[in-house]
Amino acid sequence: MSLTKIGSEQWDFVDATGEESRLPEAGAPAVSFPTRWRVFGPLEVQLHTTPERLADAEIATAAVKGHTTIPDTLEIGDKTLEAQDVDLDGDTLDLGKDFGGYDTVFFQNGTGREGQQAYAFAELELDEETEVTFGAGADFWMQWWIDGTPVCDTLAEGNGAHPPSRTDHVFSHRLSAGKHLLGVWLISGQASWVLKAGVLTERDLALASVTFSDRWQFLPDLGEIRPPRRDASSAGASSLEWDHTMAIATDRCLGDETIECEFQMGPEGNFGVILGAQDNGHYYTVQAPRWGQLWRARGFWIAICKADGSGYLRILNMQLMPNVVCHRNAWLRLKVERRGNHIQAWVDGVKGPSVTDETYGPGYPGLTGFAKYIVRDLKIDGQPAAAGPAWEEDDHRGQPWTRPVPDTSQGDFQDSAQLLKLSDNKILMLVPICRKDSDPLDSRENAGIHRILSRDGGHTWSPEGESTERILGMCYTVGPGRIRAVDGGGEPFALNYRDSADEGRSWSEPVAAKLLGDWERDILQEGTWNGVLGSSVLNDGTLLAVIVHVHKEREKMIPHKGAGTWGTEIAQPYCTLSTDQGRSWSEPVPMDNAALNDGDRPDSPCAGFSETSVAQLPAGPAPNGAEGRIVALARPFHSPFMWQTHSDDGGKSWRMCCYAPFSGSGAPQLVATRSGYLVSIKRGPAVSLHISTDGGVNWDEGTIIDYPASFNGSMIEVEPDVILVAYPESMGEIRPSYIRAQRIRITPEGPVPVAF
């Protein structure tokens, strides 16, 4: 760590360095990029894996090289494709909109959208011989030809950056005077089917050179500041960088201050400003978190937090902001004032959260966040403090997590794990580990399940080999060394179980569980999809499963339906119980008393549920009469808050669903500790933890315990009021990507990291 001069200012970039970069004057491109394109597709065959794409590259090349002018039809194998002429929208060709059928349906398997193929052609005419530099980006694979000559290919590693831009991939070609045929083969990703392309100027090229940089970039010609961002393609098809970034202005120690800027964020991550920094581990921060859930919820939050050197950010106040748009490419204005011990935030003029806190006095301002963000027009005004701390360059941040499986010899992507407590100190972690250099989607479906064992309550871990079967579903301990896995879903829906008598080394053949009572009335209906998206073991050993009931056909009635079509998903929660360790399951009951008046016949239950976390409080005395209460917290579809409900009769009936005071997604986890504390961990903001000490009636403001914004983790109590949580660093978009683990003591004052 060292201090860096940027212009007349002095900055501490903590884990990185920084530089000021000047851009060339803005100018016109060498030639106008064509705006009218002839598009062919979509093809019937979808390509999901790298080998499939590389194998079909020869077919694609033959199809394109056979033409010297824009074709009227296109022959692909034994199929003849008809043309559709499309105009670029600026620099964008959105095939999802042009072809339709690419609506974002949450429960649709990603493979249903990924891998669709299309071809696009356009002509470029030059008056004289010219060296033309093109730029392009696509979600998510593309190959380009000019006059039949291949010039750009991302089939193996994908686009890298997401969302794509026309400076993601740069290629130059010297073209003679006259007409030239541009051809591009486009293969869709999971999120969209978009091409961005154009002819680049010298300024575009300079910007492209700093898009992926290992240092902070100060661009005075644009008034922008950009944090370090790893080169996605060199990292192995990485589109997101979850590392925490900090830049602190160490040449000014301020008491009262005002910080203003505009900011733009990527699809996931946090951006914030720092106030009152005593060092790089102790400061206030005002942050705007973003995760995928919030776009479809139209939810924008702002949080005021305090870093205390533990590696955690303690949320002091977090507020859902009215009247602030959630466009992913929006530039938003943040204003933060600190006057004495009072902090107030605004976004786009909308007054946000405020706090009064005495912890830190005068200190240093700065910027912070993780993943992609850009800051512009930063203004820091304030009165220099008469007395304040001298700046220290040492690392004071703290790291509460460890990597239980640091070895990548079995693969470089460790996916979502399951934790099972086999005995007091013996804990089994079942980790899917995906092979190196594989597609995230393909590798996740074919990952081997590796057994990682701790014999000391999660302090240390050792590999114990790979399971003989790829086990999916909910795993429970049903006796010494015995594990039962229950898998629910499919079409038609079924519940199956299989057993392991050797701690997960080998597994029996699956056995169909019995469905008791009437499942046809509410669950097994034509045109619906059902999946088990939550489970728990109750105090008496009863198994509880949450079935989310989705009405797929209703979604197809709305033209151009997508994630932005608020309120269109219909996913209802039902609870089923097993008193014989998963061999049979009770008739499902709604997890919502949707009655206008309590006691009336309820309407059909709330239709906004997704992954649902469930925990039962201890049987002893509890506040608010909550002893033995079963509490459920659900990831919402379109609500900006999580859904919360509970049962006081062992899951046979449920209270009306209400809003929890926070949002969350990413397969949230819920545990009730032996002292009766409820602990929720989820995605958003970042990886955050909330505690309730009164059975879920009230919750604390929350604590950000880490930054990778995927979560999809697992959590158990390993000793009284100490939890162990394990979660992946990514969903495969970063390589290598490890499992992280934390041991956390739960107290009424908040979570405390426990050293490994």
Side-chain angles (χ1 to χ4, degrees):
M1 299 180 184
S2 60
L3 304 183
T4 304
K5 273 283 190 181
I6 301 292
S8 61
E9 301 173 338
Q10 182 171 269
W11 292 81
D12 185 347
F13 297 116
V14 189
D15 287 330
T17 58
E19 66 182 6
E20 183 178 81
S21 298
R22 289 287 179 177
L23 301 177
E25 293 291 330
V31 62
S32 296
F33 192 68
T35 58
R36 171 61 61 96
W37 287 73
R38 182 158 293 174
V39 181
F40 299 88
L43 278 67
E44 292 181 0
V45 176
Q46 292 180 229
L47 306 176
H48 298 301
T49 68
T50 298
E52 289 175 342
R53 290 188 295 274
L54 296 178
D56 274 29
E58 186 175 340
I59 298 173
T61 299
V64 174
K65 290 183 70 172
H67 299 279
T68 57
T69 60
I70 297 177
D72 294 321
T73 60
L74 190 66
E75 303 290 333
I76 304 292
D78 59 353
K79 301 293 183 182
T80 300
L81 303 179
E82 300 297 326
Q84 177 178 336
D85 288 338
V86 178
D87 290 324
L88 290 185
D89 182 3
D91 63 356
T92 303
L93 184 65
D94 189 339
L95 297 180
K97 291 181 179 178
D98 295 330
F99 286 144
Y102 202 82
D103 300 332
T104 303
V105 179
F106 184 83
F107 283 108
Q108 180 181 340
N109 191 315
T111 59
R113 300 191 299 269
E114 183 187 79
Q116 297 188 64
Q117 303 180 65
Y119 293 81
F121 295 87
E123 283 186 341
L124 183 69
E125 187 168 6
L126 284 77
D127 295 329
E128 59 183 3
E129 183 175 318
T130 307
E131 181 81 13
V132 182
T133 301
F134 300 89
D139 191 355
F140 194 70
W141 296 272
M142 63 182 178
Q143 184 169 6
W144 283 79
W145 297 263
I146 298 178
D147 298 329
T149 299
V151 291
C152 180
D153 177 353
T154 68
L155 299 180
E157 295 185 335
N159 194 67
H162 183 81
S165 75
R166 65 190 179 98
T167 57
D168 292 340
H169 300 274
V170 178
F171 51 97
S172 296
H173 206 68
R174 190 157 195 87
L175 301 177
S176 61
K179 291 185 177 181
H180 298 272
L181 182 66
L182 307 181
V184 57
W185 179 32
L186 298 165
I187 303 173
S188 65
Q190 291 190 50
S192 65
W193 196 5
V194 168
L195 169 70
K196 289 182 176 285
V199 175
L200 302 185
T201 66
E202 289 300 318
R203 174 170 280 211
D204 292 330
L205 288 171
L207 279 173
S209 70
V210 300
T211 296
F212 296 105
S213 173
D214 61 357
R215 62 193 64 193
W216 284 80
Q217 293 289 337
F218 284 65
L219 306 173
D221 300 291
L222 301 178
E224 291 184 358
I225 302 173
R226 301 184 179 191
R229 189 177 178 204
R230 183 165 60 179
D231 184 335
S233 59
S234 69
S238 166
S239 62
L240 298 170
E241 173 57 84
W242 296 126
D243 285 349
H244 188 225
T245 50
M246 299 178 69
I248 300 175
T250 59
D251 56 357
R252 65 201 88 173
C253 182
L254 305 176
D256 293 350
E257 63 208 282
T258 300
I259 301 177
E260 294 186 75
C261 66
E262 291 186 338
F263 66 95
Q264 185 186 62
M265 301 173 66
E268 310 270 355
N270 282 23
F271 162 72
V273 299
I274 289 173
L275 308 94
Q278 312 298 292
D279 52 47
N280 58 33
H282 298 81
Y283 54 86
Y284 297 111
T285 176
V286 179
Q287 298 210 2
R290 174 175 286 174
W291 61 97
Q293 180 73 42
L294 297 184
W295 148 236
R296 65 175 183 264
R298 308 289 178 94
F300 189 94
W301 295 79
I302 283 287
I304 303 177
C305 310
K306 178 174 64 179
D308 60 4
S310 65
Y312 290 173
L313 288 180
R314 313 288 177 172
I315 300 174
L316 303 177
N317 191 2
M318 184 165 169
Q319 179 178 317
L320 179 67
M321 299 290 289
N323 202 29
V324 176
V325 300
C326 295
H327 300 303
R328 284 186 174 174
N329 62 347
W331 283 94
L332 301 174
R333 175 158 287 277
L334 175 65
K335 178 182 177 182
V336 180
E337 283 186 354
R338 184 166 72 131
R339 299 292 183 265
N341 60 5
H342 184 76
I343 301 172
Q344 175 69 60
W346 293 261
V347 177
D348 274 1
V350 179
K351 194 172 185 179
S354 65
V355 300
T356 299
D357 188 86
E358 301 280 357
T359 305
Y360 303 134
Y364 299 85
L367 303 171
T368 187
F370 68 95
K372 178 185 176 183
Y373 58 89
I374 302 175
V375 185
R376 72 183 182 194
D377 299 335
L378 174 66
K379 296 180 177 63
I380 302 174
D381 296 319
Q383 186 67 32
W391 186 253
E392 296 183 14
E393 298 176 43
D394 296 334
D395 194 348
H396 300 272
R397 291 170 295 172
Q399 178 178 299
W401 52 267
T402 190
R403 288 171 171 159
V405 191
D407 177 32
T408 60
S409 62
Q410 300 299 315
D412 63 352
F413 168 33
Q414 299 166 13
D415 205 350
S416 302
Q418 284 198 62
L419 293 171
L420 289 168
K421 192 170 184 179
L422 303 180
S423 62
D424 282 346
N425 288 312
K426 197 173 186 180
I427 300 167
L428 177 66
M429 184 190 301
L430 298 174
V431 186
I433 299 182
C434 308
R435 65 184 185 275
K436 295 182 179 180
D437 303 321
S438 57
D439 290 337
L441 185 65
D442 175 53
S443 61
R444 294 180 76 185
E445 293 179 346
N446 296 286
I449 306 298
H450 291 254
R451 301 166 54 256
I452 314 298
L453 197 63
S454 173
R455 295 176 174 84
D456 55 9
H459 288 276
T460 60
W461 298 85
S462 61
E464 298 291 325
E466 188 173 346
S467 292
T468 58
E469 301 283 343
R470 176 166 170 76
I471 300 301
L472 302 174
M474 312 164 286
C475 291
Y476 313 96
T477 54
V478 292
R482 294 181 58 84
I483 303 171
R484 175 157 293 167
V486 178
D487 181 27
E491 295 187 26
F493 176 83
L495 282 163
N496 303 287
Y497 66 90
R498 58 199 310 177
D499 292 339
S500 171
D502 52 11
E503 298 181 346
R505 291 183 182 87
S506 59
W507 295 84
S508 66
E509 291 298 314
V511 178
K514 294 180 180 179
L515 304 183
L516 307 177
D518 186 356
W519 284 64
E520 281 74 19
R521 183 186 67 247
D522 294 327
I523 303 298
L524 304 181
Q525 300 171 338
E526 185 176 351
T528 64
W529 178 92
N530 300 284
V532 176
L533 295 188
S535 66
S536 185
V537 181
L538 303 184
N539 296 338
D540 63 359
T542 296
L543 304 184
L544 181 153
V546 178
I547 297 174
V548 173
H549 180 62
V550 180
H551 295 260
K552 296 190 302 181
E553 298 303 318
R554 292 288 301 273
E555 297 166 356
K556 298 177 181 178
M557 298 170 60
I558 303 173
H560 309 298
K561 179 201 169 293
T565 312
W566 200 95
T568 52
E569 306 284 358
I570 301 176
Q572 299 174 297
Y574 287 82
C575 167
T576 179
L577 303 169
S578 174
T579 58
D580 55 9
Q581 298 183 329
R583 296 182 181 89
S584 64
W585 293 85
S586 66
E587 181 178 313
V589 297
M591 295 178 68
D592 177 28
N593 180 16
L596 179 62
N597 297 298
D598 192 17
D600 291 351
R601 179 180 177 180
D603 296 335
S604 189
C606 173
F609 270 53
S610 184
E611 303 110 287
T612 302
S613 55
V614 183
Q616 186 174 25
L617 291 161
N624 304 305
E627 58 273 7
R629 173 172 292 170
I630 305 171
V631 179
L633 274 173
R635 171 183 182 168
F637 259 110
H638 292 286
S639 164
F641 298 95
M642 295 184 79
W643 291 107
Q644 180 173 332
T645 184
H646 68 249
S647 171
D648 287 327
D649 59 6
K652 299 179 180 66
S653 64
W654 293 79
R655 182 178 185 255
M656 174 184 280
C657 293
C658 299
Y659 292 132
F662 44 77
S663 187
S665 60
Q669 297 288 296
L670 188 66
V671 161
T673 72
R674 295 183 210 180
S675 295
Y677 303 139
L678 280 172
V679 185
S680 171
I681 301 184
K682 66 226 171 22
R683 177 199 307 163
V687 181
S688 60
L689 181 152
H690 292 266
I691 298 171
S692 173
T693 60
D694 58 7
V697 177
N698 296 283
W699 295 86
D700 69 1
E701 290 287 344
T703 302
I704 295 175
I705 63 170
D706 203 356
Y707 297 103
S710 303
F711 190 57
N712 289 287
S714 181
M715 175 171 58
I716 59 174
E717 186 180 25
V718 291
E719 57 186 78
D721 300 328
V722 174
I723 62 164
L724 172 69
V725 59
Y727 50 96
E729 290 181 338
S730 76
M731 293 290 97
E733 69 275 6
I734 294 173
R735 301 293 184 93
S737 181
Y738 302 88
I739 288 288
R740 291 186 181 183
Q742 295 191 41
R743 286 170 51 89
I744 306 171
R745 185 172 302 282
I746 305 302
T747 76
E749 292 74 35
V752 179
V754 178
F756 282 87

